[in-house]
Amino acid sequence: SQKIEQNSEALNIQEGKTATLTCNYTNYSPAYLQWYRQDPGRGPVFLLLIRENEKEKRKERLKVTFDTTLKQSLFHITASQPADSATYLCALDHNNAGNMLTFGGGTRLMVKP
Amino acid sequence: EAQVTQNPRYLITVTGKKLTVTCSQNMNHEYMSWYRQDPGLGLRQIYYSMNVEVTDKGDVPEGYKVSRKEKRNFPLILESPSPNQTSLYFCASSRRDRADGYTFGSGTRLTVV
């Protein structure tokens, strides 16, 4: 069966450290992998997209890697700040059935001052 | 401002009373979709549309209808709502190439009693 798993429900880190979130998937053929941030009661906000032929993408303090052999993406936030505290969602834009965006369950990140 | 607008923001209704949640985007996006978000189940796609008059089922389409008569609008219709449709609903849109990810609306919190 198809699965998208984010490694943990919650991640607590100290301000200034690098947060690393993991997204693993099985039985998908993703064209793109996307990362979103979601605050409580709000809609997800797009952060980064990485294509299947790309290994790494950066945007300011954010970095995403994509390994289609391991079927895994890593999402890094460097020099983390309390304002980075939120739930982070990975999503596959895949070819399995038309053009659907399927989400993982999310990882709740808490950055402590 | 580029945005996806959903209405209403909150809605309480009774079982069986037909309702429509509206969604409109001002970015000339081809793709639009509806999601529901439930605790422990994450975001699940209900329906999506790749262009005007083209719609398709997502993972959880039962009990919902959609239409795409104009590019900017993608209403979600619940013909006979039931309590298990109590949820937080999000509309999203994207360009055909998805290069900027998906833009989500602010959400509609629906309670069916």
Side-chain angles (χ1 to χ4, degrees):
Chain A
S1 63
Q2 298 171 331
K3 278 186 186 178
I4 303 171
E5 290 181 331
Q6 295 189 238
N7 61 322
S8 58
E9 282 193 18
L11 179 65
N12 295 315
I13 64 167
Q14 208 64 36
E15 183 176 6
K17 300 292 187 185
T18 295
T20 298
L21 285 65
T22 305
C23 177
N24 295 291
Y25 62 93
T26 55
N27 297 325
Y28 282 108
S29 299
Y32 311 93
L33 190 143
Q34 304 180 22
W35 284 88
Y36 289 79
R37 169 184 173 138
Q38 187 175 27
D39 293 287
R42 309 285 294 270
V45 174
F46 173 71
L47 296 174
L48 278 170
L49 174 152
I50 188 164
R51 293 177 173 79
E52 58 182 333
N53 60 351
E54 296 176 319
K55 297 291 185 188
E56 182 178 300
K57 197 71 123 2
R58 290 175 186 261
K59 179 182 176 184
E60 297 171 355
R61 295 185 295 113
L62 308 180
K63 184 177 87 170
V64 173
T65 63
F66 194 15
D67 188 327
T68 55
T69 301
L70 290 178
K71 296 187 186 300
Q72 182 181 77
S73 174
L74 298 179
F75 177 77
H76 306 272
I77 306 175
T78 58
S80 59
Q81 305 165 1
D84 295 326
S85 299
T87 295
Y88 291 87
L89 304 165
C90 76
L92 296 187
D93 194 338
H94 55 91
N95 298 318
N96 284 27
N99 290 284
M100 289 176 57
L101 189 66
T102 304
F103 284 85
T107 296
R108 190 170 64 251
L109 174 67
M110 180 71 70
V111 180
K112 297 182 179 177
Chain B
E1 181 190 353
Q3 61 185 358
V4 174
T5 303
Q6 291 178 231
N7 280 297
R9 188 82 171 87
Y10 300 92
L11 179 59
I12 301 174
T13 191
V14 295
T15 299
K17 186 177 180 182
K18 181 179 178 180
L19 67 91
T20 299
V21 184
T22 63
C23 174
S24 181
Q25 51 95 2
N26 62 0
M27 296 164 282
N28 201 36
H29 284 169
E30 288 83 8
Y31 290 173
M32 295 187 76
S33 62
W34 276 101
Y35 290 83
R36 61 177 289 175
Q37 188 170 34
D38 303 287
L41 296 177
L43 278 159
R44 294 178 293 167
Q45 192 171 58
I46 303 170
Y47 269 95
Y48 64 97
S49 169
M50 293 166 63
N51 215 325
V52 175
E53 302 292 0
V54 180
T55 64
D56 211 342
K57 295 177 182 179
D59 292 321
V60 288
E62 295 78 19
Y64 304 94
K65 283 176 58 177
V66 293
S67 68
R68 187 96 182 270
K69 294 185 170 60
E70 306 165 280
K71 198 171 187 179
R72 63 183 293 124
N73 295 323
F74 191 45
L76 179 70
I77 303 156
L78 285 73
E79 295 269 3
S80 183
S82 63
N84 66 10
Q85 292 178 299
T86 292
S87 186
L88 180 57
Y89 291 86
F90 291 103
C91 179
S93 73
S94 118
R95 286 166 29 180
R96 186 188 304 277
D97 65 5
R98 282 101 82 200
D100 295 330
Y102 286 67
T103 301
F104 281 77
S106 299
T108 296
R109 188 167 291 280
L110 173 65
T111 302
V112 183
V113 297

